[in-house]
């Protein structure tokens, strides 16, 4: 996003503010304040530009909302059109975000089809991190759909092979509770140390958000418990100044 704009500093600040707004949506979803700050940031993006940032900002807030009660994510999901989530390299972030929403809503076949259309172009363009994310989400879909006993394993194995040379664990950890059962069932004796790191980092995220990407109709017992002080002191100070 920054590379496609002339005023990177302004866009960076806008995106940083959007991230903060997203965290407020996550931690204070029931408060009018969350709605107010989110709407304010969206209006600022529309007025100050670039206009192309808005879909990414909305998708970003959707992703963070999935860590909480998912209310904003449900609204975002229903607002999308086939064109807005049409699989393409340029449109990859909203597409991957839609796949996460579909997983939460138990629409596994829809998510898997979307990801299958997207993965090929991502590979062709050398978008390694996006390929890893797409493979991991597909693995979660196929594991939950029960398509063959091992249908998800090659996808997870491919993602691990791509990440291992860089020691990259962040995308695995980000999926937390949704991915941990798969990691616990796969073996990789050739790279046991890296697999151990993947499990450790993913476990930490799963403990913080145990209901992440759990089916939305499973009830409050599967929802994450978010502490009131999830925002750190620096974020609280920035939020007060805004």
């Amino acid at each position: 996003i920054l590379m496609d704009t002339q005023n990177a500093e302004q866009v960076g600040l806008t995106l940083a503010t959007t991230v903060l707004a997203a965290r407020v949506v996550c931690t204070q979803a029931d408060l009018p304040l969350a709605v107010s700050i989110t709407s304010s940031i969206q209006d600022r993006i529309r007025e100050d530009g670039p206009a192309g940032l808005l879909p990414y900002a909305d998708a970003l807030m959707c992703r963070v909302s999935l860590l909480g009660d998912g209310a904003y994510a449900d609204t975002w999901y229903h607002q999308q059109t086939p064109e807005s989530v049409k699989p393409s390299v340029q449109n990859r972030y909203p597409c991957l975000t839609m796949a996460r929403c579909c997983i939460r809503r138990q629409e596994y076949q829809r998510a898997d089809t979307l990801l299958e259309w997207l993965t090929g172009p991502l590979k062709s363009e050398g978008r390694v991190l996006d390929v890893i994310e797409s493979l991991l989400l597909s693995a979660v879909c196929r594991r939950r759909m029960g398509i063959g006993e091992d249908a998800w394993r090659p996808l997870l194995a491919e993602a691990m092979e791509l990440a291992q040379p860089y020691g990259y664990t962040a995308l695995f950890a980000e999926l937390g509770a949704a991915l941990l059962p798969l990691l616990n069932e796969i073996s990789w004796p050739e790279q046991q140390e890296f697999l151990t790191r993947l499990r450790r980092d993913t476990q930490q995220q799963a403990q913080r958000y145990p209901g992440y990407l759990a089916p939305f109709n499973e009830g409050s017992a599967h929802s994450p418990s978010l502490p009131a002080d999830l925002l750190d002191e620096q974020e609280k100070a920035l939020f007060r100044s805004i």
Side-chain angles (χ1 to χ4, degrees):
I1 298 171
L2 297 180
M3 292 177 63
D4 294 337
T5 63
Q6 295 180 347
N7 193 342
E9 182 177 352
Q10 177 185 347
V11 175
L13 178 60
T14 301
L15 186 58
T17 311
T18 302
V19 172
L20 180 60
R23 296 203 70 185
V24 173
V25 171
C26 173
T27 59
Q28 305 182 53
D30 294 332
L31 299 182
L33 181 61
V35 178
S36 175
I37 188 64
T38 301
S39 299
S40 174
I41 296 303
Q42 290 173 322
D43 290 342
R44 176 178 171 182
I45 293 172
R46 290 189 180 96
E47 292 172 2
D48 298 340
L53 179 62
L54 186 60
Y56 295 91
D58 283 343
L60 172 62
M61 287 189 284
C62 171
R63 289 196 182 201
V64 180
S65 173
L66 289 170
L67 298 171
D69 67 0
Y72 189 91
D74 289 337
T75 298
W76 182 88
Y77 169 88
H78 288 297
Q79 289 176 342
Q80 301 313 300
T81 64
E83 188 64 29
S84 68
V85 290
K86 184 177 180 179
S88 69
V89 174
Q90 184 177 6
N91 204 35
R92 61 193 180 278
Y93 192 76
C95 288
L96 292 167
T97 304
M98 174 58 76
R100 295 183 186 222
C101 288
C102 290
I103 290 172
R104 178 174 179 266
R105 301 180 66 84
Q106 295 179 279
E107 298 175 3
Y108 303 127
Q109 186 60 65
R110 181 184 180 189
D112 190 53
T113 301
L114 177 63
L115 294 165
E116 190 173 9
W117 287 340
L118 186 61
T119 303
L122 291 176
K123 288 182 177 179
S124 298
E125 293 290 331
R127 300 281 181 175
V128 177
L129 295 183
D130 297 310
V131 171
I132 292 173
E133 181 177 351
S134 183
L135 291 170
L136 293 178
L137 292 173
S138 291
V140 171
C141 288
R142 297 188 184 187
R143 167 66 149 61
R144 294 187 182 183
M145 283 191 292
I147 301 178
E149 184 177 349
D150 296 323
W152 57 271
R153 291 181 186 272
L155 299 173
L156 179 55
E158 184 178 354
M160 291 164 58
E161 291 282 359
L162 288 172
Q164 188 276 329
Y166 308 99
Y168 189 75
T169 65
L171 275 175
F172 295 78
E174 182 183 336
L175 295 178
L179 187 62
L180 189 60
L182 284 69
L183 286 174
N184 286 336
E185 290 184 24
I186 202 166
S187 61
W188 197 10
E190 300 86 353
Q191 297 291 344
Q192 186 59 45
E193 182 179 351
F194 182 61
L195 178 58
T196 299
R197 285 180 54 204
L198 288 176
R199 288 172 175 163
R200 180 199 64 205
D201 294 351
T202 305
Q203 176 69 41
Q204 291 177 350
Q205 185 75 349
Q207 289 173 339
R208 192 176 192 188
Y209 302 106
Y212 184 61
L213 295 189
F216 75 105
N217 58 354
E218 286 194 359
S220 58
H222 295 272
S223 298
S225 176
L226 296 174
D229 60 349
L230 187 59
L231 296 174
D232 63 32
E233 290 304 316
Q234 186 176 10
E235 289 175 321
K236 288 177 183 177
L238 178 57
F239 181 67
R240 285 192 293 268
S241 69
I242 293 174

